[in-house]
Amino acid sequence: MPLALSVVVTVALTGCSDDGKAKDTSQQTAQEFLAAWQAKDIAKAAALTDAPEQAKTVLTAAQGQLGLNQGEYVPGVYTKADGDKPATLEYNAKLTVQGIPKPIEFKSSVPVVEVDGKAVVHWQPTIVHPQYTEGAKFKNTRDVPDRAPILDRNGQQLAGPTPAVSISVWPAKMGPNAEAIYAALSDPVFDKDIPKLREAVAKSNPDIAVPVVTLRKDVFESKASAKLAPFGQAIVVKDITLQTSDKAKQLVGTVGTATAEILQKEGYQNATAEDQVGVTGLQARYQAELAGVATSKVTIQGSNGADIAVLAEVQGQPGTPLKTTLDQRIQQLAEKVIAEKNGGKTAAIVALDAKTGQILAAANNPPNGANIAFTGQYAPGSTFKTITAAALLQAGLKSADKAPCENTLVVNGQTFKNYDGLQPIPDADFRTDFAESCNTGFIAQRQRLQNDSLSKVAGEWFGIGQTWDVGASTFDGSVPAAASQNELAASMIGQGKVAASPLVMASVAATIASGTFNQPVLVTEPMPAGRLAAKPLDPAIGGELKNLMLGVVQNGTADMLKGIPGTVGAKTGTAEFVENGKVLTNGWMIAFKNDIAVAVLVEKGESGGKAAGPIVQAFLSQV
């Protein structure tokens, strides 16, 4: 990150020295100049010189030419004035320049003279750098390598190079055409907020181009080029290679022009405002790896354009391809079914390889909204009964044990009921309660559990609530220990304070299908360092959980999956939540087919079977 150090100056001021002469304030003035310069208060620094306007112009230009993040100017040796020689304060400079990995360091000095009885900095360009003479400028030459691709599990590109152009405006050249330029850029093809662009131009150095937009080259040539042609050098068009993707867009992410805010983030130290950088998704998280390092050379050029001095040189490095676990065929299928069968609602689907935890696909509706598949925080409803069943089996309950399914059950004055349409089953066993998703049958077994039983089983056996590193941002679930019997009852049916994402619940299905928790992972090269170790389930309990999920398909609420070839198990879920005083429901289903596990969430779905069931059915029928 850029350095943000302060020059601390402590000077004892007196009106006169002991011999009655005015105290020499030259050193103090030079130190104040350095402090203001370091604080980027150019106006204050320039006001301390004998040529304020000239100093302001040169200091501002130098800062822009370098792409300076932060300058640190540490006072050194002070030499008093001697005859015609001005007083001088040496300083050590350390400049953090965007795109240059190591700070640029050098020494220079600040001369101070007396004007009308007052000490002022005697302005000269060499204050900026000993070789920064009249008419000189800093030059940062960069050769940016092509951005490396993002690959699927088979090495095929999910995002690769596409010819594009970056469009900028040159404020100093806009002149009387400024309004016509803004009018042209207001065309929808540029998709630009013109008031914000005006503000950016007003605040910029007139001789530094202000980024406007990046367009694919074919779009630029067919829809934009003619609109900008009349404005000549005021429009700067540069050919670039853009990373685009039409597959797994929310996961892969986007690439765009770097903003000042983006450049302050970790991983962007090698980028500059002219670069195309990762903005969202994997493109952003792995910016440093994908972008590589530009070959750079920072020089001081004289007024004739020849190099006077070389301040820094960086040997570039190509970007490193990123390999993911995604399967393009399965990803396309996931995107297709979530788009076609969401019922007009917000929805998400995640598919995993149950044996490895590798994420095969993830998709959302709408496709340009939040990635709720990974980061959504929802009550999982009755899909969480898989975890509750694991805790009850550990506590000694058998699937064949009697567990009557009643209409309602009261816990300390709070009434719990089943979903609408489920009739009482007085002679039900626990296997039936699981297949029919009977809330009361589960809650009636609460005396077998401790308040922290669900929290322990969820965390230790299924990794829920631990910190996952899949290679992308995720919500890893939360199952807090219950504070009362009422909270325990709610948690047993996936309500109360229990929360999960579709990714978490897909992992639950994968763990039961394979018998081992394998923390989900999206990126394999480079493999995330913090991935949790795999942990097998108790074989007896794991086998029973799998049988219970098979029963939901054969004899329960997921019977729409009957007939799908292979070993197919599932668990439905209808989770209640309150919005604007009304009780609404989200529809869930988790399932597995052989070694593929899947979770589907449909916001405000009537029930898991009705809302999520058709999506899972369509997916597993074709996967």
Side-chain angles (χ1 to χ4, degrees), residues 190-212:
F190 300 106
D191 190 25
K192 194 65 184 176
D193 185 327
I194 298 302
K196 285 188 177 180
L197 177 60
R198 287 179 182 272
E199 183 180 355
V201 170
K203 292 180 177 179
S204 73
N205 182 326
D207 287 318
I208 296 179
V210 176
V212 176

Side-chain angles (χ1 to χ4, degrees), residues 130-252:
Q131 291 164 286
Y132 196 89
T133 54
E134 192 71 38
K137 66 178 180 179
F138 290 115
K139 182 71 174 179
N140 190 344
T141 304
R142 289 167 53 78
D143 183 10
V144 180
D146 289 341
R147 194 173 182 87
I150 296 177
L151 309 174
D152 72 358
R153 67 194 295 110
N154 299 311
Q156 300 299 308
Q157 289 191 1
L158 292 167
T162 301
V165 297
S166 65
I167 301 170
S168 304
V169 293
W170 190 351
K173 301 286 186 179
M174 293 174 72
N177 289 325
E179 290 306 317
I181 291 171
Y182 288 129
L185 291 173
S186 65
D187 188 282
V189 70
F190 300 106
D191 190 25
K192 194 65 184 176
D193 185 327
I194 298 302
K196 285 188 177 180
L197 177 60
R198 287 179 182 272
E199 183 180 355
V201 170
K203 292 180 177 179
S204 73
N205 182 326
D207 287 318
I208 296 179
V210 176
V212 176
V213 71
T214 299
L215 297 176
R216 290 202 324 266
K217 193 160 188 177
D218 60 331
V219 173
F220 171 75
E221 291 176 345
S222 63
K223 298 182 178 180
S225 179
K227 301 180 190 299
L228 302 178
F231 307 117
Q233 291 184 333
I235 303 295
V236 181
V237 178
K238 182 180 178 182
D239 285 330
I240 61 170
T241 300
L242 182 66
Q243 288 274 337
T244 60
S245 172
D246 59 358
K247 308 175 189 73
K249 289 181 180 180
Q250 285 177 310
L251 299 183
V252 170

Side-chain angles (χ1 to χ4, degrees), residues 388-408:
T388 305
L392 290 171
L393 292 171
Q394 182 190 41
L397 181 67
K398 301 291 190 293
S399 295
D401 287 350
K402 293 299 180 182
C405 179
E406 307 293 348
N407 264 333
T408 60

Side-chain angles (χ1 to χ4, degrees), residues 12-18 22-23 25:
L13 299 178
T14 60
C16 299
S17 62
D18 291 341
K23 186 174 180 65
T25 60

